[in-house]
Amino acid sequence: VKIGVPENYDGIFPWYLAKLHNLPSNYSDLVLTGDDEGIFGVDAQFLYAIKPLDREKQPSYSLQTFTVEVFVIDKNDNVPTFIEESMRGSVQLGLLKIPFMRVEAVDRDDRNTAHAELRFSMMEQTPRIPSSQMFFIDSITGEVSLTEEASTLDPEMCGRYKLSVMVKDMAGRTNAFFTSGIVTVEVTGNTWASPDPVRLQENLPGPYPIPISQVKWSGSQAAYSLDGEFPEMLFTISREGVIYLNAPLDRETQDQFHISIVVERPDGRQIAKPVELRVMVGDANDNRPTFPQAQYHTVVKELAARTEILTVQAADNDDPKTDNVRIFYRLVGQIPESPRALFRVDRDSGVISVQADSMEGTAPQYTLTITAEDAKLNSSCTVVVTVQDENNNPPVFSQHEYGPFHIPEDAVVGTTVTSVLARDADVRGGDSWQVDYRLESGHEEEVFTLVTDRQTNEVSLILSKVLDFERESEYILVLSAQNQVPLVRGRYGPLSTATVSIYVDDVNEGPVLSQSHYEVTVREGEEPGRVIATIRGYDPDSHPIYSLQGDTKKYFSIGKYSGELKTVQALDREENSTYTMEVIAVDGNSSLSASTLVTVQILDVNDNSPVLVGDYSWKYLCTPRWEDQALVLASRDSDGPQHGGRLNFSLRSDATVRRNWKLTPINTHTNLSLNIPNLPPEVYMVPFTISDSSSPPRSTFINLPCPCNVRGNCKIAAKPLQGMPTIQSTVGLLLGTFAVIIILIVIFVRLSYQNPKEPSKTSQERVPLKISI
């Protein structure tokens, strides 16, 4: 049986605690254990107590015969107290916000209840300098640590502080018991500081590890570790704070290290800010000078004399502030070796130059070996020097004369007569070696063409025109050879020219006409029967016989043996301006023949007057005058350009007309416009003459009605004539109208006779204007 009984009962005694149901009814002499004070008793199966219980004095009791456990229930009847009456601690300069001491208190109440749940608080800091809140106490653990304001701690200003602290039970509630106490904190200095920089030589021989520096935290027990940009285990630190170097350093890989030293408590909590050790690596001459490329290429001209051709530069990764990077250059090899002393390299600058007066006659290419050396190490590179050929050798022929070569006169165009070669001593394939050939004389008729093979420099003489033994039976050609680029030394002499002799062999041939095309001119209207051209043919074997083809209308004839071309009837240029026919010349002894085209151009004669074309009845000019407004007048002359090509417009020689009107030629047309700003609105008759460009010219007089309108729509009706017409004026108008009709009929009849074909379409530009003449 388990019974819970509250402590400190202050009611009526005996205090019946519980009924013991399992107690035998015939019990006697019940023995209680753990009740030295005689507090408990049993009456009628009830367990009772005769005075209050105190849990802190004895929390439980046990009865025998069968076990009865009595648990005393706790009440908050104890005040928490600090374990130490005098609480002291010390804090080191540089300590982070971590606990440096712990305040401990105890409460006799039950720990499993809120009665013994303690809370700590900071009441006051004395003195309050340099800041009033430099310490902090954890409310649950009682750990005392520094705040952010503690960064100004200075033992010289204040080396001791008294902190008033309080502890409460009941988790710090308002009805809790509390106790206050004083904590004395001593501020002490610290040896935790960044060590002096260390300078280490690279590639130290060892043995390793080598101690290089030491740090120490002078406060509580601490553990050390290193952090920074360096390979793992290159630097380590012992439990005593000694820093070791564990392997050789390489300045070229990293010339200095910034090592962060961390101090921590054994539980891993950092105590203070890390300090830094700077390690500088000293240089050792452990890097050989190296060239940026293993092989260089350069070019030197063949005639170059004592000139710089290339600069090589090596780099040394050692410390540039030391003599370890001072580099010297040497020329140690030349392939081919001959001639010696052809090149040199400057010891300090690495400039490679030619020492000889000329590279003429040397090898086309040299390979040089250059070394770069510092105080004890070296490396090398190769320089390939290509000797660039210059045009210092002209091409020369092996013979002064070639031939004679025979070729039949009927050889086809494109036949190769011969091939010759002018040799050049310059480098094969280069510009200085390439040869251009030219025929200097004997080639006036351009019968032959030169074709050069650029792979071999051989030139072929090719027939480019038909040969004629009777006209030319022998050709003496002067052939010259020159390079494509100018000679840099010397000049072309007799050996660069040669003579080529070619004989043409006779072959029986047909007639040959002197021209492949004849162009003949004839004035229109000339009397027929006149010789207009003579077709001349040549046949060394017989006299050619001539005939015409293509003259379908039989306007021409040709003499069978004379080749004289005549007109059979008068020609009209307006009917046809050009005739083309073919003249055939046949060999009298064979079927061989030759032909030529004859084109007869009919020359124009000024037999047509110019006319004004177009309808101007709907056109008008604005008055007052509009800027750039004009009537565009078109004209036509049936004669050719020589007589009717450019037609001239001119106003009648009248002061009023020339004052009021203006004619302006524009390309093939003429603009009619007002010459003064304003004319009264009415229809005006503008008299002018159209003349052709012949001498003497043919002309036509025109009286053109021209309405002048006002602004707005600029279109008004013409004013009526003043007064009534008389009988005489009416008769005159009728007679004039009949005369114009008769003239127009004559003109149309003549035009119809000259060109009987109906026009395919009517064009406004080709219809003459009805005019007053």
Side-chain angles (χ1 to χ4, degrees), residues 172-203:
R173 298 172 189 166
T174 55
N175 60 344
F177 294 114
F178 64 89
T179 301
S180 60
I182 300 297
V183 178
T184 302
V185 178
E186 301 284 345
V187 181
T188 63
N190 203 333
T191 58
W192 186 249
S194 295
D196 294 334
V198 176
R199 185 175 183 86
L200 301 175
Q201 192 74 5
E202 66 175 332
N203 302 323

PDB file of all heavy atoms in Angstrom, residues 172-203:
ATOM      1  N   GLY A 172      11.011  31.534 -10.563  1.00  0.00           N
ATOM      2  CA  GLY A 172      11.054  32.984 -10.584  1.00  0.00           C
ATOM      3  C   GLY A 172       9.714  33.660 -10.513  1.00  0.00           C
ATOM      4  O   GLY A 172       9.606  34.847 -10.798  1.00  0.00           O
ATOM      5  N   ARG A 173       8.629  32.946 -10.045  1.00  0.00           N
ATOM      6  CA  ARG A 173       7.316  33.557  -9.986  1.00  0.00           C
ATOM      7  C   ARG A 173       7.264  34.597  -8.869  1.00  0.00           C
ATOM      8  O   ARG A 173       8.139  34.654  -7.999  1.00  0.00           O
ATOM      9  CB  ARG A 173       6.249  32.486  -9.778  1.00  0.00           C
ATOM     10  CG  ARG A 173       6.176  31.464 -10.916  1.00  0.00           C
ATOM     11  CD  ARG A 173       5.252  30.320 -10.579  1.00  0.00           C
ATOM     12  NE  ARG A 173       5.341  29.251 -11.579  1.00  0.00           N
ATOM     13  CZ  ARG A 173       4.862  28.039 -11.413  1.00  0.00           C
ATOM     14  NH1 ARG A 173       4.252  27.709 -10.263  1.00  0.00           N
ATOM     15  NH2 ARG A 173       4.983  27.138 -12.367  1.00  0.00           N
ATOM     16  N   THR A 174       6.198  35.356  -8.866  1.00  0.00           N
ATOM     17  CA  THR A 174       6.098  36.462  -7.909  1.00  0.00           C
ATOM     18  C   THR A 174       5.939  35.963  -6.468  1.00  0.00           C
ATOM     19  O   THR A 174       6.327  36.646  -5.516  1.00  0.00           O
ATOM     20  CB  THR A 174       4.895  37.348  -8.273  1.00  0.00           C
ATOM     21  OG1 THR A 174       3.722  36.539  -8.332  1.00  0.00           O
ATOM     22  CG2 THR A 174       5.114  38.011  -9.621  1.00  0.00           C
ATOM     23  N   ASN A 175       5.390  34.769  -6.263  1.00  0.00           N
ATOM     24  CA  ASN A 175       5.195  34.246  -4.902  1.00  0.00           C
ATOM     25  C   ASN A 175       6.352  33.360  -4.460  1.00  0.00           C
ATOM     26  O   ASN A 175       6.224  32.564  -3.544  1.00  0.00           O
ATOM     27  CB  ASN A 175       3.882  33.465  -4.838  1.00  0.00           C
ATOM     28  CG  ASN A 175       3.872  32.285  -5.802  1.00  0.00           C
ATOM     29  OD1 ASN A 175       4.698  32.222  -6.701  1.00  0.00           O
ATOM     30  ND2 ASN A 175       2.934  31.362  -5.607  1.00  0.00           N
ATOM     31  N   ALA A 176       7.485  33.480  -5.149  1.00  0.00           N
ATOM     32  CA  ALA A 176       8.618  32.615  -4.868  1.00  0.00           C
ATOM     33  C   ALA A 176       9.433  33.167  -3.705  1.00  0.00           C
ATOM     34  O   ALA A 176       9.404  34.363  -3.386  1.00  0.00           O
ATOM     35  CB  ALA A 176       9.487  32.485  -6.120  1.00  0.00           C
ATOM     36  N   PHE A 177      10.170  32.212  -3.038  1.00  0.00           N
ATOM     37  CA  PHE A 177      11.186  32.616  -2.056  1.00  0.00           C
ATOM     38  C   PHE A 177      12.457  32.980  -2.810  1.00  0.00           C
ATOM     39  O   PHE A 177      12.723  32.433  -3.894  1.00  0.00           O
ATOM     40  CB  PHE A 177      11.483  31.477  -1.076  1.00  0.00           C
ATOM     41  CG  PHE A 177      10.309  31.132  -0.191  1.00  0.00           C
ATOM     42  CD1 PHE A 177       9.670  29.903  -0.291  1.00  0.00           C
ATOM     43  CD2 PHE A 177       9.860  32.040   0.765  1.00  0.00           C
ATOM     44  CE1 PHE A 177       8.599  29.590   0.513  1.00  0.00           C
ATOM     45  CE2 PHE A 177       8.791  31.711   1.582  1.00  0.00           C
ATOM     46  CZ  PHE A 177       8.153  30.497   1.456  1.00  0.00           C
ATOM     47  N   PHE A 178      13.267  33.902  -2.268  1.00  0.00           N
ATOM     48  CA  PHE A 178      14.488  34.316  -2.971  1.00  0.00           C
ATOM     49  C   PHE A 178      15.587  34.598  -1.960  1.00  0.00           C
ATOM     50  O   PHE A 178      15.328  34.859  -0.777  1.00  0.00           O
ATOM     51  CB  PHE A 178      14.246  35.553  -3.832  1.00  0.00           C
ATOM     52  CG  PHE A 178      13.877  36.786  -3.050  1.00  0.00           C
ATOM     53  CD1 PHE A 178      14.862  37.654  -2.571  1.00  0.00           C
ATOM     54  CD2 PHE A 178      12.547  37.074  -2.773  1.00  0.00           C
ATOM     55  CE1 PHE A 178      14.506  38.776  -1.869  1.00  0.00           C
ATOM     56  CE2 PHE A 178      12.210  38.203  -2.072  1.00  0.00           C
ATOM     57  CZ  PHE A 178      13.191  39.066  -1.610  1.00  0.00           C
ATOM     58  N   THR A 179      16.813  34.557  -2.468  1.00  0.00           N
ATOM     59  CA  THR A 179      17.994  34.894  -1.692  1.00  0.00           C
ATOM     60  C   THR A 179      18.939  35.668  -2.594  1.00  0.00           C
ATOM     61  O   THR A 179      19.063  35.369  -3.786  1.00  0.00           O
ATOM     62  CB  THR A 179      18.709  33.625  -1.186  1.00  0.00           C
ATOM     63  OG1 THR A 179      17.797  32.871  -0.379  1.00  0.00           O
ATOM     64  CG2 THR A 179      19.942  33.972  -0.373  1.00  0.00           C
ATOM     65  N   SER A 180      19.612  36.666  -2.090  1.00  0.00           N
ATOM     66  CA  SER A 180      20.576  37.442  -2.873  1.00  0.00           C
ATOM     67  C   SER A 180      21.966  37.195  -2.337  1.00  0.00           C
ATOM     68  O   SER A 180      22.148  36.780  -1.181  1.00  0.00           O
ATOM     69  CB  SER A 180      20.232  38.932  -2.821  1.00  0.00           C
ATOM     70  OG  SER A 180      20.263  39.398  -1.483  1.00  0.00           O
ATOM     71  N   GLY A 181      22.964  37.462  -3.203  1.00  0.00           N
ATOM     72  CA  GLY A 181      24.348  37.280  -2.815  1.00  0.00           C
ATOM     73  C   GLY A 181      25.257  38.181  -3.634  1.00  0.00           C
ATOM     74  O   GLY A 181      24.836  38.859  -4.573  1.00  0.00           O
ATOM     75  N   ILE A 182      26.511  38.199  -3.274  1.00  0.00           N
ATOM     76  CA  ILE A 182      27.509  39.035  -3.936  1.00  0.00           C
ATOM     77  C   ILE A 182      28.543  38.127  -4.597  1.00  0.00           C
ATOM     78  O   ILE A 182      29.077  37.211  -3.955  1.00  0.00           O
ATOM     79  CB  ILE A 182      28.194  39.985  -2.951  1.00  0.00           C
ATOM     80  CG1 ILE A 182      27.154  40.917  -2.306  1.00  0.00           C
ATOM     81  CG2 ILE A 182      29.272  40.794  -3.661  1.00  0.00           C
ATOM     82  CD1 ILE A 182      26.467  41.825  -3.288  1.00  0.00           C
ATOM     83  N   VAL A 183      28.829  38.415  -5.887  1.00  0.00           N
ATOM     84  CA  VAL A 183      29.860  37.701  -6.634  1.00  0.00           C
ATOM     85  C   VAL A 183      30.983  38.684  -6.907  1.00  0.00           C
ATOM     86  O   VAL A 183      30.737  39.771  -7.458  1.00  0.00           O
ATOM     87  CB  VAL A 183      29.323  37.135  -7.959  1.00  0.00           C
ATOM     88  CG1 VAL A 183      30.438  36.453  -8.734  1.00  0.00           C
ATOM     89  CG2 VAL A 183      28.187  36.166  -7.700  1.00  0.00           C
ATOM     90  N   THR A 184      32.202  38.311  -6.509  1.00  0.00           N
ATOM     91  CA  THR A 184      33.362  39.161  -6.746  1.00  0.00           C
ATOM     92  C   THR A 184      34.104  38.624  -7.969  1.00  0.00           C
ATOM     93  O   THR A 184      34.471  37.451  -8.030  1.00  0.00           O
ATOM     94  CB  THR A 184      34.288  39.172  -5.531  1.00  0.00           C
ATOM     95  OG1 THR A 184      33.536  39.636  -4.393  1.00  0.00           O
ATOM     96  CG2 THR A 184      35.479  40.087  -5.774  1.00  0.00           C
ATOM     97  N   VAL A 185      34.301  39.520  -8.973  1.00  0.00           N
ATOM     98  CA  VAL A 185      34.957  39.129 -10.230  1.00  0.00           C
ATOM     99  C   VAL A 185      36.248  39.911 -10.353  1.00  0.00           C
ATOM    100  O   VAL A 185      36.236  41.161 -10.312  1.00  0.00           O
ATOM    101  CB  VAL A 185      34.059  39.394 -11.448  1.00  0.00           C
ATOM    102  CG1 VAL A 185      34.782  39.018 -12.740  1.00  0.00           C
ATOM    103  CG2 VAL A 185      32.750  38.629 -11.325  1.00  0.00           C
ATOM    104  N   GLU A 186      37.380  39.185 -10.510  1.00  0.00           N
ATOM    105  CA  GLU A 186      38.675  39.794 -10.724  1.00  0.00           C
ATOM    106  C   GLU A 186      38.967  39.833 -12.229  1.00  0.00           C
ATOM    107  O   GLU A 186      38.804  38.830 -12.929  1.00  0.00           O
ATOM    108  CB  GLU A 186      39.769  38.996 -10.005  1.00  0.00           C
ATOM    109  CG  GLU A 186      39.584  38.871  -8.507  1.00  0.00           C
ATOM    110  CD  GLU A 186      39.956  40.159  -7.790  1.00  0.00           C
ATOM    111  OE1 GLU A 186      40.621  41.015  -8.433  1.00  0.00           O
ATOM    112  OE2 GLU A 186      39.572  40.310  -6.627  1.00  0.00           O
ATOM    113  N   VAL A 187      39.378  41.002 -12.755  1.00  0.00           N
ATOM    114  CA  VAL A 187      39.752  41.154 -14.172  1.00  0.00           C
ATOM    115  C   VAL A 187      41.261  41.010 -14.275  1.00  0.00           C
ATOM    116  O   VAL A 187      42.002  41.764 -13.628  1.00  0.00           O
ATOM    117  CB  VAL A 187      39.300  42.511 -14.729  1.00  0.00           C
ATOM    118  CG1 VAL A 187      39.691  42.633 -16.200  1.00  0.00           C
ATOM    119  CG2 VAL A 187      37.799  42.689 -14.559  1.00  0.00           C
ATOM    120  N   THR A 188      41.707  40.036 -15.054  1.00  0.00           N
ATOM    121  CA  THR A 188      43.142  39.785 -15.191  1.00  0.00           C
ATOM    122  C   THR A 188      43.563  39.970 -16.646  1.00  0.00           C
ATOM    123  O   THR A 188      42.767  39.864 -17.579  1.00  0.00           O
ATOM    124  CB  THR A 188      43.476  38.348 -14.745  1.00  0.00           C
ATOM    125  OG1 THR A 188      42.788  37.429 -15.617  1.00  0.00           O
ATOM    126  CG2 THR A 188      43.045  38.107 -13.321  1.00  0.00           C
ATOM    127  N   GLY A 189      44.819  40.261 -16.841  1.00  0.00           N
ATOM    128  CA  GLY A 189      45.385  40.384 -18.193  1.00  0.00           C
ATOM    129  C   GLY A 189      45.529  39.012 -18.838  1.00  0.00           C
ATOM    130  O   GLY A 189      45.238  37.970 -18.247  1.00  0.00           O
ATOM    131  N   ASN A 190      46.019  39.021 -20.126  1.00  0.00           N
ATOM    132  CA  ASN A 190      46.149  37.765 -20.849  1.00  0.00           C
ATOM    133  C   ASN A 190      47.323  37.856 -21.806  1.00  0.00           C
ATOM    134  O   ASN A 190      47.640  38.935 -22.337  1.00  0.00           O
ATOM    135  CB  ASN A 190      44.863  37.473 -21.636  1.00  0.00           C
ATOM    136  CG  ASN A 190      44.702  35.998 -21.944  1.00  0.00           C
ATOM    137  OD1 ASN A 190      45.686  35.284 -22.041  1.00  0.00           O
ATOM    138  ND2 ASN A 190      43.469  35.559 -22.068  1.00  0.00           N
ATOM    139  N   THR A 191      47.934  36.721 -22.021  1.00  0.00           N
ATOM    140  CA  THR A 191      49.059  36.659 -22.980  1.00  0.00           C
ATOM    141  C   THR A 191      48.581  36.300 -24.380  1.00  0.00           C
ATOM    142  O   THR A 191      49.399  36.081 -25.282  1.00  0.00           O
ATOM    143  CB  THR A 191      50.074  35.599 -22.516  1.00  0.00           C
ATOM    144  OG1 THR A 191      49.416  34.333 -22.410  1.00  0.00           O
ATOM    145  CG2 THR A 191      50.664  35.980 -21.180  1.00  0.00           C
ATOM    146  N   TRP A 192      47.259  36.212 -24.596  1.00  0.00           N
ATOM    147  CA  TRP A 192      46.711  35.828 -25.907  1.00  0.00           C
ATOM    148  C   TRP A 192      46.815  36.998 -26.880  1.00  0.00           C
ATOM    149  O   TRP A 192      46.073  37.964 -26.793  1.00  0.00           O
ATOM    150  CB  TRP A 192      45.268  35.382 -25.741  1.00  0.00           C
ATOM    151  CG  TRP A 192      44.662  34.838 -27.007  1.00  0.00           C
ATOM    152  CD1 TRP A 192      43.702  35.409 -27.745  1.00  0.00           C
ATOM    153  CD2 TRP A 192      44.997  33.624 -27.650  1.00  0.00           C
ATOM    154  NE1 TRP A 192      43.400  34.645 -28.805  1.00  0.00           N
ATOM    155  CE2 TRP A 192      44.196  33.512 -28.794  1.00  0.00           C
ATOM    156  CE3 TRP A 192      45.912  32.612 -27.376  1.00  0.00           C
ATOM    157  CZ2 TRP A 192      44.264  32.445 -29.657  1.00  0.00           C
ATOM    158  CZ3 TRP A 192      45.973  31.536 -28.233  1.00  0.00           C
ATOM    159  CH2 TRP A 192      45.168  31.455 -29.364  1.00  0.00           C
ATOM    160  N   ALA A 193      47.790  36.926 -27.767  1.00  0.00           N
ATOM    161  CA  ALA A 193      48.019  37.985 -28.753  1.00  0.00           C
ATOM    162  C   ALA A 193      48.685  37.368 -29.980  1.00  0.00           C
ATOM    163  O   ALA A 193      49.252  36.266 -29.930  1.00  0.00           O
ATOM    164  CB  ALA A 193      48.909  39.086 -28.164  1.00  0.00           C
ATOM    165  N   SER A 194      48.602  38.081 -31.128  1.00  0.00           N
ATOM    166  CA  SER A 194      49.197  37.587 -32.375  1.00  0.00           C
ATOM    167  C   SER A 194      50.711  37.534 -32.235  1.00  0.00           C
ATOM    168  O   SER A 194      51.340  38.529 -31.815  1.00  0.00           O
ATOM    169  CB  SER A 194      48.830  38.493 -33.549  1.00  0.00           C
ATOM    170  OG  SER A 194      47.447  38.460 -33.795  1.00  0.00           O
ATOM    171  N   PRO A 195      51.323  36.393 -32.560  1.00  0.00           N
ATOM    172  CA  PRO A 195      52.782  36.308 -32.482  1.00  0.00           C
ATOM    173  C   PRO A 195      53.440  37.124 -33.587  1.00  0.00           C
ATOM    174  O   PRO A 195      52.798  37.539 -34.558  1.00  0.00           O
ATOM    175  CB  PRO A 195      53.050  34.816 -32.658  1.00  0.00           C
ATOM    176  CG  PRO A 195      51.879  34.308 -33.439  1.00  0.00           C
ATOM    177  CD  PRO A 195      50.713  35.129 -33.008  1.00  0.00           C
ATOM    178  N   ASP A 196      54.717  37.360 -33.442  1.00  0.00           N
ATOM    179  CA  ASP A 196      55.472  38.116 -34.447  1.00  0.00           C
ATOM    180  C   ASP A 196      55.514  37.340 -35.762  1.00  0.00           C
ATOM    181  O   ASP A 196      55.518  36.095 -35.772  1.00  0.00           O
ATOM    182  CB  ASP A 196      56.897  38.368 -33.958  1.00  0.00           C
ATOM    183  CG  ASP A 196      56.923  39.283 -32.751  1.00  0.00           C
ATOM    184  OD1 ASP A 196      55.977  40.088 -32.611  1.00  0.00           O
ATOM    185  OD2 ASP A 196      57.878  39.182 -31.947  1.00  0.00           O
ATOM    186  N   PRO A 197      55.542  38.070 -36.916  1.00  0.00           N
ATOM    187  CA  PRO A 197      55.657  37.379 -38.211  1.00  0.00           C
ATOM    188  C   PRO A 197      56.923  36.529 -38.278  1.00  0.00           C
ATOM    189  O   PRO A 197      57.949  36.857 -37.672  1.00  0.00           O
ATOM    190  CB  PRO A 197      55.701  38.525 -39.224  1.00  0.00           C
ATOM    191  CG  PRO A 197      55.055  39.681 -38.527  1.00  0.00           C
ATOM    192  CD  PRO A 197      55.423  39.533 -37.076  1.00  0.00           C
ATOM    193  N   VAL A 198      56.838  35.451 -39.035  1.00  0.00           N
ATOM    194  CA  VAL A 198      57.956  34.511 -39.167  1.00  0.00           C
ATOM    195  C   VAL A 198      58.368  34.475 -40.641  1.00  0.00           C
ATOM    196  O   VAL A 198      57.512  34.406 -41.532  1.00  0.00           O
ATOM    197  CB  VAL A 198      57.537  33.101 -38.694  1.00  0.00           C
ATOM    198  CG1 VAL A 198      58.670  32.113 -38.934  1.00  0.00           C
ATOM    199  CG2 VAL A 198      57.150  33.141 -37.221  1.00  0.00           C
ATOM    200  N   ARG A 199      59.670  34.533 -40.910  1.00  0.00           N
ATOM    201  CA  ARG A 199      60.184  34.404 -42.275  1.00  0.00           C
ATOM    202  C   ARG A 199      60.933  33.080 -42.387  1.00  0.00           C
ATOM    203  O   ARG A 199      61.893  32.839 -41.650  1.00  0.00           O
ATOM    204  CB  ARG A 199      61.108  35.569 -42.633  1.00  0.00           C
ATOM    205  CG  ARG A 199      61.573  35.539 -44.083  1.00  0.00           C
ATOM    206  CD  ARG A 199      62.400  36.773 -44.439  1.00  0.00           C
ATOM    207  NE  ARG A 199      62.780  36.774 -45.824  1.00  0.00           N
ATOM    208  CZ  ARG A 199      62.051  37.233 -46.828  1.00  0.00           C
ATOM    209  NH1 ARG A 199      60.851  37.735 -46.552  1.00  0.00           N
ATOM    210  NH2 ARG A 199      62.472  37.200 -48.069  1.00  0.00           N
ATOM    211  N   LEU A 200      60.486  32.227 -43.307  1.00  0.00           N
ATOM    212  CA  LEU A 200      61.085  30.906 -43.496  1.00  0.00           C
ATOM    213  C   LEU A 200      61.623  30.783 -44.913  1.00  0.00           C
ATOM    214  O   LEU A 200      60.992  31.249 -45.870  1.00  0.00           O
ATOM    215  CB  LEU A 200      60.044  29.801 -43.257  1.00  0.00           C
ATOM    216  CG  LEU A 200      59.385  29.772 -41.870  1.00  0.00           C
ATOM    217  CD1 LEU A 200      58.307  28.706 -41.848  1.00  0.00           C
ATOM    218  CD2 LEU A 200      60.425  29.502 -40.801  1.00  0.00           C
ATOM    219  N   GLN A 201      62.768  30.174 -45.043  1.00  0.00           N
ATOM    220  CA  GLN A 201      63.340  29.933 -46.367  1.00  0.00           C
ATOM    221  C   GLN A 201      62.597  28.761 -47.023  1.00  0.00           C
ATOM    222  O   GLN A 201      62.266  27.769 -46.361  1.00  0.00           O
ATOM    223  CB  GLN A 201      64.835  29.602 -46.241  1.00  0.00           C
ATOM    224  CG  GLN A 201      65.585  29.624 -47.555  1.00  0.00           C
ATOM    225  CD  GLN A 201      65.823  31.046 -48.048  1.00  0.00           C
ATOM    226  OE1 GLN A 201      65.495  32.006 -47.352  1.00  0.00           O
ATOM    227  NE2 GLN A 201      66.376  31.173 -49.238  1.00  0.00           N
ATOM    228  N   GLU A 202      62.324  28.876 -48.335  1.00  0.00           N
ATOM    229  CA  GLU A 202      61.686  27.756 -49.019  1.00  0.00           C
ATOM    230  C   GLU A 202      62.663  26.583 -49.117  1.00  0.00           C
ATOM    231  O   GLU A 202      63.879  26.748 -49.093  1.00  0.00           O
ATOM    232  CB  GLU A 202      61.204  28.171 -50.413  1.00  0.00           C
ATOM    233  CG  GLU A 202      62.291  28.538 -51.401  1.00  0.00           C
ATOM    234  CD  GLU A 202      61.739  28.817 -52.794  1.00  0.00           C
ATOM    235  OE1 GLU A 202      60.696  28.260 -53.148  1.00  0.00           O
ATOM    236  OE2 GLU A 202      62.395  29.590 -53.540  1.00  0.00           O
ATOM    237  N   ASN A 203      62.074  25.390 -49.188  1.00  0.00           N
ATOM    238  CA  ASN A 203      62.849  24.151 -49.359  1.00  0.00           C
ATOM    239  C   ASN A 203      63.845  23.914 -48.219  1.00  0.00           C
ATOM    240  O   ASN A 203      65.003  23.512 -48.433  1.00  0.00           O
ATOM    241  CB  ASN A 203      63.595  24.140 -50.701  1.00  0.00           C
ATOM    242  CG  ASN A 203      62.654  24.285 -51.883  1.00  0.00           C
ATOM    243  OD1 ASN A 203      61.552  23.753 -51.867  1.00  0.00           O
ATOM    244  ND2 ASN A 203      63.082  25.041 -52.882  1.00  0.00           N
TER     245      ASN A 203
END
